[in-house]
Amino acid sequence: MARRTKEDAEQTRLAILESALKTFYEKGFSRTTFDEIAKRINLTKGAVYWHFRNKADIIAALISQKMAEQEKYYPSSTPNDLVSLREAIKNRALNIEKDEEFRRFLFFMNYRMEWSEAVLDNVWPQIASIIELSDQKLYNCLLHIKDNGCIKPETDIKSLQEILLCLWKGCLNHYIINRNRQINFTQTIMNGFDAIMAGIKMEKN
């Protein structure tokens, strides 16, 4: 019985997060109430408060949930050459194209989230930790690829990391605000990656 109760509580928590994301996406953060989140899934406001103290707690939980879901799209081992890195980036881009809920989450976080000081103080350490970890993974991957002789030895890995991050974030932001999806997100990323790497990759003898 205790296990069933725990499973039920987790299912309720996930339902609250799903309802919150849909409501945040439609109305924005500040205009969403606990009542609206609860009514969408036939709960009482008190049931939502039992799981989350406030909306900032919901945002923090959504960030953790969505980033954890994206982890499964990362390669299990560090790419050791440009071909495998390219494939890893391509797979991640393709999965974002397929994942409508994650695109909804990104749209809300970037364009419908009103970042008050109180909310930012609550969730920024978590966001900063995720960003730092992701950036460090890319840096380590590029350094590993350079050490394997796939990139010219004079290449500044930190600058290369920043360029690739800007390519990714710029294309992604353009894609998520384009409701008609008039750009091919994956192909645009791949074209950019190939153009960047063309000047620094080591040619095979």
Side-chain angles (χ1 to χ4, degrees), residues 131-149:
I131 292 173
E132 182 179 359
L133 178 60
S134 179
D135 290 358
Q136 191 61 46
K137 282 183 177 180
L138 177 58
Y139 180 86
N140 291 341
C141 175
L142 293 171
L143 191 61
H144 181 59
I145 290 171
K146 181 181 177 180
D147 289 343
N148 284 344

Side-chain angles (χ1 to χ4, degrees), residues 62-200:
L62 277 171
I63 292 170
S64 292
Q65 179 195 51
K66 295 305 175 188
M67 293 304 103
E69 289 173 358
Q70 288 300 302
E71 281 291 323
K72 65 186 178 184
Y73 300 140
Y74 291 119
S76 56
S77 58
T78 303
N80 56 18
D81 56 37
L82 292 179
V83 173
S84 55
L85 174 60
R86 188 183 192 279
E87 190 65 18
I89 293 172
K90 180 180 179 180
N91 287 338
R92 189 178 177 198
L94 286 170
N95 280 305
I96 285 176
E97 288 189 20
K98 297 174 186 175
D99 193 338
E100 183 177 351
E101 185 170 291
F102 187 63
R103 292 198 309 271
R104 194 181 296 126
F105 167 74
L106 291 174
F107 181 87
F108 158 67
M109 290 293 289
N110 284 279
Y111 300 103
R112 303 213 67 180
M113 177 65 197
E114 304 92 337
W115 290 105
S116 68
E117 287 295 325
V119 173
L120 198 55
D121 287 346
N122 189 306
V123 302
W124 178 248
Q126 180 184 14
I127 294 174
S129 176
I130 291 170
I131 292 173
E132 182 179 359
L133 178 60
S134 179
D135 290 358
Q136 191 61 46
K137 282 183 177 180
L138 177 58
Y139 180 86
N140 291 341
C141 175
L142 293 171
L143 191 61
H144 181 59
I145 290 171
K146 181 181 177 180
D147 289 343
N148 284 344
C150 302
I151 297 174
K152 291 180 179 179
E154 65 270 22
T155 301
D156 183 340
I157 294 300
K158 184 62 179 176
S159 295
L160 178 58
Q161 173 208 30
E162 292 295 334
I163 291 168
L164 290 175
L165 288 173
C166 287
L167 168 68
W168 178 268
K169 292 173 183 177
C171 290
L172 183 57
N173 285 340
H174 183 48
Y175 180 67
I176 63 176
I177 65 172
N178 190 333
R179 297 294 183 91
N180 296 323
R181 309 287 180 240
Q182 293 175 342
I183 67 166
N184 185 320
F185 173 59
T186 302
Q187 189 58 54
T188 303
I189 289 288
M190 293 298 93
N191 290 344
F193 179 87
D194 291 342
I196 291 166
M197 294 304 174
I200 62 172

